[in-house]
Amino acid sequence: DVFAVQDEISTAIVETLQLRLASTTTHAQTRTPDIAAYHAYLKSRYHFAKLTPERLLLSQALAQEAIALDPQYPPALAQLAECFIQTAIYGMAEATEMLPKARAAALRAVALDESEASAQMTLARIAGEFDFDWTEALRRCRLALACDRISPAVRALCAQFVLWPLGRIDELTAAIRPALAADPLSPMPRTVMAQAFAARGEHDRALAEIEAVIEMHENFWPAPLCRGTILTVLERTMDAIAAFEKGIAIARWNAPFVGFLAGNYSLVGESARAERLMSGLSALPSPALGALGRTAYHYARREFDRVAEEYDIVIDRRYPVAAFYLTWLCLSDRFRESTPGRRLRQKMGLS
């Protein structure tokens, strides 16, 4: 039961999560958005949630349409900022191009309404993974979580991309619990809860949680990625292969699926299959994605020096979820305590 998590949250954390941003009513909170802009925004959110490059293009176009209809609409500006970040994650443009655009859109949103939680969350992510300023990232994350109007998705993103890399697992659990209460079957909050279990070393509990997600949401690719990574950490190679095969069938464009699956294939003597998969990395649109796939390959093979060589590229390209994936890699005690693992965390300001 996800609600049986025994978390000991400090008084300071509780007080932070009880903050309320706006002591006075702002213009943004009292104005009514253009109805057509609102509809375009809702459609943008719908397509964004499908988590594919093709749907992202539709989502961004609809967010831009909403802003054209109502330039003073903070949620649409915040949505466009998320689209810019996701564009870099999918390798459709470089992070050095897209994250400054995301920052500008999010800053416009909070200038209109400082309690726009999605924009505060985006600014938290940029502070951490682009600026390596984790103090500012945590501050913005807590501002987002303190907003009265915060969606389960924003809670999940704050948890995954700020609290998870910082190792603030009790705070992560507190942040995600309201999302689970609002929708106990939602896949992203449950996947985040599985991450919390894994971070505590409760691997069986994490796997049970993620398997329940997969059973209910068979096309939700983050779940098999989570499952396969945990199984790789546990060196359960055949089970990891099964998880990654399921995932790559859903998201063939996903570089970690390619690298992890190839690396695990190589461990069981399937060298030809591994080589065929790895040859496809050269066709990916971003150098960061190719490096991320090669990182996963060498990690599965426990070649930690090679992991560090490739992950340097991921970090140097300011890939938007570099800290998120590095934290997954550090679930392995061997890697986390190794010289390459420590150096990478220090490079990202996470040591």
Side-chain angles (χ1 to χ4, degrees), residues 35-53:
I35 189 65
Y38 176 64
H39 287 167
Y41 163 74
L42 291 180
K43 292 176 185 177
S44 178
R45 289 300 307 167
Y46 171 79
H47 288 293
F48 188 88
K50 297 303 179 181
L51 297 178
T52 70

Side-chain angles (χ1 to χ4, degrees), residues 2 5 7 9 159 163 168-178 180 193 196 200:
V2 297
V5 181
D7 52 325
I9 305 169
L163 301 176
R168 306 185 75 89
I169 304 306
D170 287 344
E171 195 168 352
L172 178 156
T173 303
I176 210 65
R177 271 183 152 174
L180 288 166
M193 188 60 76
R200 293 188 176 108

